[in-house]
Amino acid sequence: MSIANSFVPHYYNTFDGGDGVRKNLLSLYRPESMATWEGQQLQGASNIVAKLTTPELAVVKHQVQSIDAQPSPGGGVLVVVTGVLAVDNAFDKAMRFSETFNLQPIPGQAGGYFVYNQVFRLLLG
């Protein structure tokens, strides 16, 4: 799905740009957005972006290996991403991850989508 193929590079390029650029992810979320980050439940754009901009995530680089997408109810798109990431440029210690996004249309904005649900997990072991 073209929405997924546009969203995923935008999301990870913005995330990998560091805290100053990563704060621009705020526009992808709304007050009703929910995220689960390694088991921690978050709701609302500011809470989610606050988690994504914590000091321990200051330098992260993602390498996406797969993108799978399906339509979801209400005109949304379910997107599942897998890949590897490196923290603090430790590419020799890259970690596998899986991330799922439920993108929903922005009410009143034709063609616009926001992250309604997001689940992130490192795949350790």
Side-chain angles (χ1 to χ4, degrees):
M1 301 190 82
S2 65
I3 294 159
N5 290 331
S6 297
F7 170 79
V8 170
H10 171 71
Y11 179 85
Y12 291 108
N13 288 336
T14 304
F15 194 110
D16 293 354
D19 280 352
V21 175
R22 192 174 305 152
K23 291 177 182 174
N24 293 330
L25 292 174
L26 189 66
S27 66
L28 297 177
Y29 301 97
R30 294 174 48 95
E32 63 270 31
S33 295
M34 295 172 277
T36 303
W37 186 273
E38 286 290 299
Q40 181 183 3
Q41 301 277 335
L42 306 159
Q43 183 163 6
S46 59
N47 290 331
I48 294 168
V49 173
K51 177 63 180 175
L52 300 180
T53 55
T54 57
E56 60 268 19
L57 299 175
V59 179
V60 177
K61 301 292 182 207
H62 294 83
Q63 181 182 13
V64 171
Q65 295 176 330
S66 71
I67 302 169
D68 295 300
Q70 295 180 355
S72 67
V77 180
L78 182 66
V79 182
V80 178
V81 179
T82 63
V84 295
L85 62 82
V87 177
D88 295 331
N89 293 315
F91 294 101
D92 59 323
K93 298 176 186 169
M95 297 174 276
R96 297 191 55 73
F97 75 92
S98 175
E99 194 154 23
T100 302
F101 300 92
N102 176 13
L103 306 178
Q104 288 294 311
I106 298 172
Q109 183 179 328
Y113 287 83
F114 73 100
V115 177
Y116 184 73
N117 304 97
Q118 177 177 358
V119 179
F120 172 85
R121 275 287 178 185
L122 290 172
L123 305 174
L124 305 173

